[in-house]
Amino acid sequence: MITSSLVAASIQPFVLSILASGESYGYAIIQRVKVLTGGQIKWTTSTLYPVLHRLENKGLLESDWRISDDGPRRKYYRLTTRGQKALDTEKQQWLDVHQALSELWNVSPGLLPA
Amino acid sequence: MFNLDKTLAAWRRRLAHNRAFTAEDIDELAQHLRDQVYDLSEEGLSEEEAFRKALREMGDYTSAETEYRKVYLGKLKQKRHLSSELSWRFSMLKNYLTITFRTMIRRKGFSLIHVFGLSIGLASCMLIGLYIQDELQYDDFHENADHVYRVLRQFDLPDLQATIETTPPALAATIKEQLPDVERAVRVGRSSPVVKRGTQEFVETRFLDAESGFFEMFSFPLQHGQADLNRPSTLVLSEQMATKYFSDDNPVGQILEIGGEAYEVTGVMANVPAQSHLQFDFVRSLHFSPDQLNWGFNNHFTYIQLKTGADQANVTRQIAAITKMNQPEREGSWSDFVPHLQPVTGIHLGLGVGVDISSEGRIMFVYLFGILAVFILLLACINFMNLATARSMDRAREVGMRKALGAQRFQLIGQFLSESILISVIGLVIALLLCWLMIPTLNEFAGKSIAYSTLFNTSPVLFFLGLALCTGLLAGSYPALVLSHFKPARTLKGEISGIRRAQLRKGLVVFQFALSIVLIVGTSIVSKQLNYLQRAGLGFTPDNLLIVDQVGYLGDKVQVFEEEASRIVGVEHAASGFSMPGTFYINSMWQSDEPGSEAHNLDYSFVNFDYIETLGIDMLAGRSISRAYATDSFAVMINEAAARDFGWSTEEALEKKIARGSRKYSVVGVVKDFNFRSLRADVYPLALFGPLRAPRYTAIRMNTEDTARTIASLETVWKQFSDLPFTYSLLADNLAAQYLSEQRLSRIFFIFTTLALLIACLGLLGLATYTAEKRTKEIGIRKTLGASTGNLFALLSKDFLKLVMIAFLIAAPMGFLAMTRWLEEYAYRVDIDPGIFLLAGGLAFLAALGTVSFQSIKAAVTNPISSLRSE
């Protein structure tokens, strides 16, 4: 069980990163994170959606309603240029922290982005 | 059969109640649910199970709300969402309005009383405000208002304390010459001559004699021609007089005959505004011949205009120096005065003491009414809040339900506040309407002519708007804050604590009824006293009695004037005197001639022969001073009160003498007490001496219906003796004028009494309603146990009537004390009849009973089953 503070801290980087690779909608994002973390992080609707909306307010995301491929009308989100910039900042910060901790734990710095 | 779409739709509707979620949000969440249900059913669950699981996984309701709302509020900070925010707010407001109207209509009677109570309070306050504003604005319209003063003579001596508005003619002349700080000084005199043009002949009382500078000092604009008061025998007319005497012709250059002499009209001025202390239609030029410029005879008003920057105190000192230098050496206090400068704007409200008793609106009234206005307003507002609170108790259930359905606290607060503010604003609008309608009545009652336009001056309207909003806010705050705070279950069950509130409310009702009772008592006694005064014996006959003023100018020809006057057809008697009933009397200490006797304070004056007969005073013993007795230059007539003071019976007094210093006077006659001052003062001990001092007045008793002709003849006779204007008044009119203010006071008292009682009943109604609601169940049970309607009625009403009793117990002694105090001012007074108190108490009781019975009967008659069932 990942602590709630870590979960909370990671929401934004997760969302931004997932959307960086393409637009998506709320439910799908939740499922993706579940898969990525092997079930360790399971976001609820009240966890994710407010965040999506807030990020949209801040101008990091854009949204529109789309008839999706499989039929129903959904609200899709995608990253804006500001969002991309925010993501870069976020990434850098996480990596800095990661590096420092890794040194402490003597773990080889592995998870560098592709 | 589980139907996903239907269930989702229901779920959506529920969520829609919650204002934190927009339609879009709901769509998003709904779709999320569908997706999840799909996935779960893929895993093998049934649709229903899948839905339930999905719903569970959706998470805690309230925290979701909170999160959404946080985001939502965050959105507010984004400018680009402002317009949608506004539209949201608007629809909220519309929602509140709809609810408010629905609530009001549902309880029409209550709402009507609720709103009206406030309206009446606001309207009375506004009307009084208008009255006060008008009073305070007198003479403000003059351009030089800040610099114009009237010079008064103040006497502050041991035997003479008075302030008199007339001044010697020489004063203005000297001031003009000697004082650089004075821009101008103008003498103004009043007269009532006969004005004639062709066949038209009238006695015009709105007449001024003024010297040049008058129209420069005062702002009475001229419409045609100009004022030429420098030239003798010129006249300025008012518009209405121009129409009266000249219809459509231009009066400028034409001649009017005034008091037998020809005057040329040089100008026409606009009608004098109501808010001027000087009310007149004619101004004629005033001139003084050299021997008229003396310091002795005081018959004109002196107005001075100071230069900007001049110091009032300084100028007063300078004038005092002048008068000190110029006072004639003669005995008596008339010359020993100190000048006092009265600002022209203060004349209407301020001093009315002295010889000229014509000042109408006194400052005392202004204060009194101001206090009353605040009072009534306070009562009305408190009532409004009380009723609002009482009514909100009924809404507790509604509130509970709303909360259960997901209403937010801030929504409830918003709703109650908007409701309450809305109602109070409606109340304000109605109040404005009421006020507008009542302005003519106010004008009639108060003798004013307030224009409709003054009602819409910005500042008072803003003030009242603010007041209405505040009242609404305060009234709504209690239910808003308290009710919205409760847990839904409790409010649904109807458990509201508020014992302290109830006690406060009861206390208020007692207070209101006590006040009403006091006012009823006051009104009855005041009107009773007034009626009495007007019918009471004055001790002399005021009808057909004309008093000629400024007879002193005739010098030693007064006697001849009297004789000539008596010869006129229509004149029965004529007698002069230094004082007349209602005018000024000298006051001093006198002793009897018995050694070691005490000194007594006596009013006294000097009268010519036939004075007693002319005035129609009763001579109880002895005789009137007459010219037949040479010794009568040391004779005096005293009244009963004086005799009593000295300890003599009426008969005994005839052998006595009174003395002051070395002078002794023999009492030759004792007259019955008559009201020589006004009915306000005690009948003072009075002594009347022979014509030892030049008289100021001549009393003329007429015995004809055609008084106008007689007066005209009198004026002609007067003209034979003096160039000065013939100044007179009818004693009956003077007396009536005195009572005018008392009459007005009693009328206004009456109105406020009714208002206070009305407001008290409204307060009681509120309380009764609230209590009745609370006790419906109790009543239901009692009915099923066999209580009759009568029993229940008594039960419910008992408590309220107890309150009225308490109010009576408080009010009765207060009323008694207050009335006794007030009546002490009057020499002749009515008794305070205990019946009045019973009447007042009874009236209040009946009013309360009427108010309460409506509620009590309604409650008593309700079907017990329905009241017990309402859970």
Side-chain angles (χ1 to χ4, degrees), chain B residues 73-342:
Chain B
L73 290 175
K75 244 197 234 175
L76 294 184
K77 298 190 183 145
Q78 305 284 323
K79 284 224 185 100
R80 60 189 155 132
H81 293 281
L82 190 62
S83 58
S84 61
E85 164 61 11
L86 275 175
S87 64
W88 180 81
R89 286 250 182 249
F90 264 124
S91 63
M92 270 303 242
L93 211 68
K94 222 176 65 182
N95 182 265
Y96 292 153
L97 282 172
T98 329
I99 298 176
T100 308
F101 276 120
R102 235 186 282 150
T103 333
M104 283 181 78
I105 292 176
R106 238 191 300 146
R107 312 185 93 226
K108 274 185 275 244
F110 190 91
S111 305
L112 208 71
I113 293 174
H114 196 191
V115 174
F116 249 99
L118 187 68
S119 304
I120 292 175
L122 284 174
S124 352
C125 202
M126 284 182 210
L127 284 170
I128 293 176
L130 285 175
Y131 173 85
I132 293 178
Q133 189 185 53
D134 187 83
E135 287 286 284
L136 292 176
Q137 276 177 353
Y138 267 66
D139 295 306
D140 270 354
F141 61 91
H142 297 297
E143 237 184 86
N144 300 318
D146 292 332
H147 301 292
V148 175
Y149 298 85
R150 188 168 66 168
V151 183
L152 304 172
R153 289 183 294 142
Q154 278 192 329
F155 297 85
D156 191 17
L157 307 164
D159 62 348
L160 180 51
Q161 270 154 6
T163 305
I164 300 178
E165 293 134 339
T166 51
T167 43
L171 184 65
T174 328
I175 288 178
K176 264 196 278 219
E177 277 173 40
Q178 297 187 3
L179 297 185
D181 276 339
V182 173
E183 178 89 34
R184 50 177 67 97
V186 171
R187 282 160 290 204
V188 176
R190 280 211 273 249
S191 54
S192 321
V194 175
V195 178
K196 191 165 170 205
R197 181 172 187 244
T199 49
Q200 290 178 298
E201 187 177 339
F202 297 95
V203 175
E204 297 288 355
T205 52
R206 286 164 58 101
F207 222 97
L208 282 190
D209 310 326
E211 54 181 343
S212 68
F214 181 80
F215 284 99
E216 286 78 22
M217 185 184 277
F218 295 112
S219 306
F220 295 112
L222 284 154
Q223 292 178 331
H224 304 292
Q226 48 201 313
D228 197 3
L229 296 172
N230 255 322
R231 257 201 302 148
S233 305
T234 59
L235 183 70
V236 172
L237 283 179
S238 69
E239 273 185 284
Q240 47 195 13
M241 287 299 121
T243 320
K244 179 174 171 185
Y245 286 94
F246 296 95
S247 36
D248 292 326
D249 300 333
N250 187 356
V252 178
Q254 306 221 30
I255 304 286
L256 267 184
E257 194 183 306
I258 302 187
E261 287 180 13
Y263 278 77
E264 182 190 335
V265 178
T266 58
V268 178
M269 66 179 191
N271 290 330
V272 171
Q275 287 175 318
S276 164
H277 79 281
L278 287 169
Q279 289 291 317
F280 57 97
D281 283 317
F282 302 84
V283 183
R284 67 171 156 182
S285 52
L286 178 63
H287 289 270
F288 294 94
S289 58
D291 53 283
Q292 284 171 336
L293 280 183
N294 58 56
W295 288 91
F297 290 110
N298 307 283
N299 50 343
H300 288 92
F301 303 109
T302 304
Y303 292 91
I304 63 175
Q305 180 181 345
L306 296 186
K307 296 210 170 113
T308 359
D311 178 29
Q312 183 189 345
N314 224 355
V315 175
T316 315
R317 271 192 296 268
Q318 292 170 341
I319 300 180
I322 295 179
T323 53
K324 251 271 154 334
M325 273 202 309
N326 287 291
Q327 276 159 7
E329 288 302 324
R330 66 180 203 195
E331 192 225 281
S333 15
W334 277 110
S335 26
D336 208 358
F337 67 89
V338 167
H340 175 77
L341 292 182
Q342 181 185 34

Side-chain angles (χ1 to χ4, degrees), chain A residues 52-70:
Chain A
L52 284 174
H53 298 158
R54 203 180 305 129
L55 291 177
E56 185 175 0
N57 285 351
K58 287 209 210 141
L60 303 183
L61 301 178
E62 269 174 341
S63 72
D64 61 59
W65 284 87
R66 195 95 57 74
I67 311 264
S68 69
D69 311 330
D70 49 348

Side-chain angles (χ1 to χ4, degrees), chain A residues 25-27 30-31 34 44-46 49-54 56-59 65 72-75 77, chain B residues 24-25 27-29 31-32 35-37 39 57-60 63-64 67-68 71 74-75 78 80-81:
Chain A
Y25 57 96
Y27 185 70
I30 295 178
Q31 300 306 100
K34 211 163 34 162
T44 62
T45 50
S46 42
Y49 286 105
V51 172
L52 284 174
H53 298 158
R54 203 180 305 129
E56 185 175 0
N57 285 351
K58 287 209 210 141
W65 284 87
R73 196 169 149 266
R74 293 206 185 90
K75 193 171 181 186
Y77 296 85
Chain B
E24 231 185 68
D25 295 336
D27 283 343
E28 194 172 22
L29 290 170
Q31 190 51 49
H32 179 107
D35 287 337
Q36 191 157 21
V37 166
D39 280 351
E57 277 193 20
M58 195 166 231
D60 183 6
S63 62
E67 286 306 312
Y68 267 81
V71 174
K75 244 197 234 175
Q78 305 284 323
R80 60 189 155 132
H81 293 281

Side-chain angles (χ1 to χ4, degrees), chain B residues 389-400 478-479 482-484 486-502 505 770 774:
Chain B
T389 313
R391 198 177 57 150
S392 65
M393 292 302 142
D394 312 335
R395 318 263 314 269
R397 239 173 258 159
E398 176 193 333
V399 170
Y478 174 73
V482 176
L483 283 184
S484 62
F486 289 156
K487 299 262 180 264
R490 276 185 66 198
T491 50
L492 278 172
K493 279 206 211 136
E495 265 173 47
I496 318 274
S497 69
I499 299 178
R500 240 178 46 199
R501 269 264 160 176
R505 228 176 281 141
Y770 167 63
K774 265 189 97 173

Side-chain angles (χ1 to χ4, degrees), chain A residues 2 6-22 24 29-30 32-38 40-43 48 51-52 55 61 79 87 90-91 94:
Chain A
I2 300 193
L6 198 49
V7 171
S10 57
I11 299 182
Q12 186 156 316
F14 266 122
V15 169
L16 292 176
S17 309
I18 290 173
L19 290 178
S21 45
S24 187
I29 296 174
I30 295 178
R32 182 91 192 270
V33 168
K34 211 163 34 162
V35 165
L36 274 172
T37 61
Q40 300 246 48
I41 295 187
K42 286 194 241 193
W43 291 340
L48 175 65
V51 172
L52 284 174
L55 291 177
L61 301 178
L79 219 55
L87 176 57
E90 195 88 43
K91 247 201 256 183
W94 274 87

